[in-house]
Amino acid sequence: MAEFIELKESRTDPAYGCPPHERDIETHISHGVVNLDKPSGPTSHQVDAWVRDMLHAEKVGHGGTLDPKVTGVLPLGINRATRVMQLLLEAPKEYVCLMRVHREVDEDRIREVLGEFQGKIFQIPPLKSAVKRELRVRTIYDVNILEIDGQDVLFRIACEAGTYVRKYCHDVGEALGTGAHMAELRRTRVGPFTEEGLVTLHDLKDAYQFWVEDGDERFLRECTLPMEFAVSHLPRAVILDSAVDAVCHGADLARGGIAGLDDNIKKGDTVAVMTLKGELVAVGEALMPSLDIVAADSGLVIETDKVFMKPGTYPRMWRQSL
């Protein structure tokens, strides 16, 4: 668990910006993310379109595509939050999988083989995939067998982004000498999004209607989260009000503009650049680790990559922030 290092005592001007949970409902929606429980059947893009029409949004995008028959966690970004979804593509994933072996095999052997299929594994993406079919290395962080019933093996798998669980089951079956296939799959985690607080399409539709018809926004606020939640798995750098607008215009972040940061930043990490109010300004690449940033007197420490806050949200005070 990261610890936050305060570099200087700082105050934020309430006249500019807004804490994410205090945004008015229209802004909350347009900067919102939904932890959607995808049903079996539709494609992820179909779900995007349904939610876009349901909320009368300009655009909706998802973080990490699920096959039509796969259910579970499908994070959705609304309007300005759609670009934040890109940051979830490389986030670790977790699934519960039902694998069926093609003939009965001793339980101890199944446990032994699944134990061997952890850590670094080699995979060739299946024929029906959106990426080039070439040998790739993926990390399996953990495999936990939940139940074995005859030829059915239920297990939870935590893995690196880009791991094909269907191919994983096939390869396990090859190692068992029996053959195996993925019978069912449910995603239970994408980065900070878990099954806790999942929202169904019906929940979201009802919440929107409560707001439109009755003026009751409570349920819609419960169904949508500020887009800042989608970067809560990234290390943070909190910046002074005087540095915000410069970063909004694409400037790299200098040491003098930082009010505090997490202690677990490594060189090359993607870092969420936040305001003192907790708003997401941008993400960037750390040019040095946390301790070196703390020790530095000046100079650039984070190279800005993607900007999410509109320029002009905070006043222009570039000279003070550089």
Side-chain angles (χ1 to χ4, degrees), residues 72-93:
V73 176
L74 182 68
L76 301 177
I78 307 165
N79 291 346
R80 289 192 66 82
T82 54
R83 291 176 61 241
V84 181
M85 294 295 100
Q86 299 170 10
L87 302 173
L88 296 174
L89 298 181
E90 298 302 318
K93 311 292 193 296

Side-chain angles (χ1 to χ4, degrees), residues 80 83 247-250 281-283 304-309:
R80 289 192 66 82
R83 291 176 61 241
V247 175
C248 287
H249 280 85
V281 181
V283 295
T304 300
D305 181 19
K306 295 180 176 66
V307 176
F308 298 98
M309 180 175 281

Side-chain angles (χ1 to χ4, degrees), residues 163-316:
T163 302
Y164 287 90
V165 181
R166 187 183 304 276
K167 187 66 168 61
Y168 180 88
C169 291
H170 175 271
D171 293 344
V172 168
E174 291 288 302
L176 287 170
T178 62
H181 69 274
M182 184 186 81
E184 294 182 34
L185 187 67
R186 179 172 177 80
R187 188 159 66 187
T188 55
R189 178 186 291 272
V190 177
F193 294 88
T194 68
E195 288 191 297
E196 184 177 349
L198 273 175
V199 174
T200 67
L201 288 166
H202 290 98
D203 292 335
L204 191 60
K205 177 66 173 177
D206 289 345
Y208 186 78
Q209 291 306 119
F210 276 125
W211 173 51
V212 172
E213 296 176 6
D214 303 329
D216 188 347
E217 62 187 52
R218 291 176 300 163
F219 301 105
L220 193 52
R221 285 190 180 275
E222 290 176 5
C223 287
T224 53
L225 300 164
M227 67 179 183
E228 284 75 10
F229 181 82
V231 299
S232 57
H233 63 297
L234 299 177
R236 300 171 296 157
V238 177
I239 62 176
L240 304 172
D241 285 5
S242 57
V244 173
D245 196 58
V247 175
C248 287
H249 280 85
D252 295 332
L253 183 60
R255 169 63 175 82
I258 297 181
L261 72 166
D262 287 337
D263 68 351
N264 61 340
I265 296 173
K266 300 185 293 294
K267 183 179 179 180
D269 277 355
T270 298
V271 178
V273 180
M274 317 291 291
T275 69
L276 289 161
K277 297 182 182 73
E279 304 151 289
L280 176 63
V281 181
V283 295
E285 180 182 340
L287 300 178
M288 59 184 73
S290 296
L291 293 182
D292 288 355
I293 294 175
V294 172
D297 293 325
S298 61
L300 299 178
V301 294
I302 295 175
E303 183 179 351
T304 300
D305 181 19
K306 295 180 176 66
V307 176
F308 298 98
M309 180 175 281
K310 285 184 177 180
T313 304
Y314 281 71
R316 178 171 179 168

Side-chain angles (χ1 to χ4, degrees), residues 5 29 31 33 43 51 54 76 83 92 103 107 141-142 147 154 197-198 202 232 238 277 289 293 295 298-299 315:
I5 304 172
I29 294 170
H31 290 68
V33 295
T43 66
V51 172
M54 185 188 303
L76 301 177
R83 291 176 61 241
R103 65 173 185 271
E107 285 191 16
Y141 303 116
D142 183 60
E147 185 179 354
L154 185 68
L198 273 175
H202 290 98
S232 57
V238 177
K277 297 182 182 73
I293 294 175
S298 61

